[in-house]
Amino acid sequence: MTSLGHDVRHGGRIARIELRRSLRKSFGTRKRQLTALGFVLLFSPTLLFWFRAASDAGRVAAEQGTMALDTLGIQVTLLVVAFALMGALRVVQQGRPDGDALLLTATSTRAVLIGTTIHATVQLVLFVMIPTLLFAAGFALGAEMPTIVLTTTIAAIPLFTAVTILGTVGGQLVVLGLLKSHLFRSVSRVFGLVLLVVLLALGYAAMAPLLGVTEPFALLSPVAQPAIEYLAFAFVGTPLSPGLDGGSFVVGAAVVLSIPVLFVVANRLAPALWFADATPTKLIQRDVSTSRADATTSVEGGQTDSGRPFPSRYGPRPVVIALGLWTRWVRIPVRFSTLFPLTIILAMAVIGSIGDPESLPLALGAALVFAAVYVSGGVFGLNPLGEAGEMRTVESLSATRPRTLVFGHAIAGLFVGTPLAVVGTLLLTIAAGTPAPLVVILVALAVVSTVAGAGVALGIGTVLPSEDAQRTYRGYDVATPSQWALVGYMFATTLLVGIAALGSIFVFLPAEGGSLSLLRVGAPVVAAVVLVLVGAFGYRTATRRFVSPVYPDT
């Protein structure tokens, strides 16, 4: 048994190496540096908006001479829960520490756990501290109290360190449950979807008070009382401080003491996880018993049959390909990660219309139309070549034509995108009281938009493929789309929806006058033609990429 000092020293070295690997992975190439710069430019208006809102809040608090911590306490509580869930999901996703070679060294498991925990804590603290310091700086500037930045930093570091280790312990318990319980493994098939819904709900609840929606969350005030007590440390030494009482010191001590306690628990669980008989990458294979997996039945000719043949599919080849894609994606829900930006947009659209219930159907309909265009290509079209992986060789040698493969990817997205577009358009037209003939034109334009979205996504995804596969806890290699493709398709979706909306506006012109009537009919037709041409260009681009040889250098 090595000493604690020895493990801390080796853990620090592991953490330093892991941090270097993370930085190299994020900023090691010019492409990744440009991607990071693109994301900064993309989200800088949002950060400036929150900075301005924090500055206004600080100025108002300074004028009133007091700061109500109830709403802020609810937000901190919800964010703590959300980050704990994200930390647990990180552990479940990895199964083992990032870098299995660490377990083959002479270093103890405690040193490995110290290093990986420090690495994860630094990542989370940096991720949280950037918006936290921005918000604190804006508030301090508005309130003219610069010490708030320092006190907020000191209060946030131990809190999110404890949250990181709490997420680690939660993830370890989940993975151990997956290893030991067949029922838990069966339930885990919908774990990703449930977790996504929970994180969306937490994100909405955390941001809603900033937009003036506070009544639904008044019931959470008793639950947020510990966070309210802890927030007193962020304002200590300022006129806005509510004062440090016994409750604040108890909560602060609990946060600090939970760090070593949770680390001891994680250290006890780590060997059971890392050295289990069945590794997390074999969870699915372990579900089937040996006798059942090896059971065979005799057939004519002396051949054997496992009794579970692969189900045959009949129908048009593109539809068969689309169904196969859906089977692969449902089996590995991580492939639906490209929908995460869309969920943020949908949540913000709903949040923005909660204050005005009359506009909720219009906002929801518009959001569904946007979601329809995005889903049509964002799920199956942003990385068709990278997702195929080694199957690209089989695809190139098969009798299936490249245009059929591309068409199958497009149909897979349209299975969901087209019905969503119809539902969203009907919701919009019903809320606006649109006559039936105009409804048909708007629905047709929305459907054409989804077809264009599928074609554009395939064009972007084949021009900017990504082959960086990551191993999931179920043992599958998943190559997610590149960030450039994701950002580019977000802008393309906005442009396509804008073209369709521009053509739809002219439909509502009065029917009087020959020129106006011609414009009412001509504008949607022109918009539809433009959308079809854009989608066809993306489709042809993807087809040419599929025709290219799998090994161009040979």
Side-chain angles (χ1 to χ4, degrees), residues 110-431:
R110 183 169 61 181
V112 175
L113 187 63
I114 290 175
T116 54
T117 302
I118 293 175
H119 173 228
T121 301
V122 171
Q123 285 184 317
L124 179 60
V125 169
L126 289 178
F127 176 75
V128 173
M129 290 306 295
I130 292 176
T132 300
L133 288 179
L134 184 67
F135 193 86
F139 188 91
L141 181 64
E144 298 181 356
M145 301 175 187
T147 58
I148 291 179
V149 179
L150 178 61
T151 55
T152 300
T153 303
I154 296 174
I157 291 177
L159 176 62
F160 287 103
T161 301
V163 169
T164 302
I165 305 179
L166 178 61
T168 300
V169 173
Q172 289 175 328
L173 292 174
V174 170
V175 176
L176 289 174
L178 291 171
L179 288 171
K180 297 180 181 297
S181 173
H182 175 73
L183 177 63
F184 197 53
R185 289 194 291 273
S186 301
V187 175
S188 68
R189 295 179 184 275
V190 295
F191 175 74
L193 179 61
V194 173
L195 184 60
L196 178 61
V197 174
V198 171
L199 289 175
L200 283 177
L202 291 173
Y204 159 70
M207 295 296 106
L210 295 178
L211 300 175
V213 183
T214 58
E215 293 81 2
F217 308 103
L219 298 176
L220 297 178
S221 296
V223 181
Q225 190 60 37
I228 296 173
E229 296 288 349
Y230 190 80
L231 282 172
F233 290 101
F235 296 95
V236 67
T238 65
L240 301 178
S241 174
L244 299 177
D245 54 9
S248 299
F249 285 107
V250 169
V251 174
V255 170
V256 175
L257 293 177
S258 67
I259 296 176
V261 172
L262 290 172
F263 182 81
V264 171
V265 175
N267 187 50
R268 296 284 186 180
L269 295 175
L273 171 62
W274 294 346
F275 304 111
D277 292 337
T279 62
T281 59
K282 299 296 183 181
L283 289 178
I284 300 302
Q285 292 83 344
R286 191 170 180 261
D287 288 350
V288 184
S289 63
T290 304
S291 59
R292 185 177 178 182
D294 297 336
T296 57
T297 57
S298 299
V299 295
E300 295 180 0
Q303 298 178 353
T304 59
D305 183 17
S306 63
R308 298 181 61 184
F310 189 81
S312 301
R313 292 193 177 99
Y314 301 96
R317 184 61 61 87
V319 176
V320 173
I321 294 174
L323 293 176
L325 291 172
W326 268 104
T327 302
R328 291 174 56 197
W329 259 248
V330 171
R331 184 181 300 162
I332 313 173
V334 177
R335 298 181 188 272
F336 289 99
S337 60
T338 54
L339 296 179
F340 189 70
L342 176 64
T343 55
I344 297 176
I345 294 175
L346 294 179
M348 295 303 296
V350 175
I351 291 173
S353 60
I354 283 182
D356 186 9
E358 295 181 357
S359 65
L360 184 59
L362 292 174
L364 185 59
L368 286 178
V369 173
F370 184 89
V373 179
Y374 183 89
V375 170
S376 297
V379 179
F380 301 98
L382 287 182
N383 195 27
L385 300 178
E387 280 288 356
E390 297 178 355
M391 291 298 295
R392 278 288 299 132
T393 305
V394 179
E395 292 177 351
S396 63
L397 296 176
S398 67
T400 304
R401 294 181 300 177
R403 67 176 61 182
T404 304
L405 295 172
V406 176
F407 195 33
H409 281 79
I411 290 178
L414 293 175
F415 278 160
V416 176
T418 302
L420 271 181
V422 173
V423 172
T425 307
L426 291 177
L427 190 60
L428 271 173
T429 53
I430 292 174

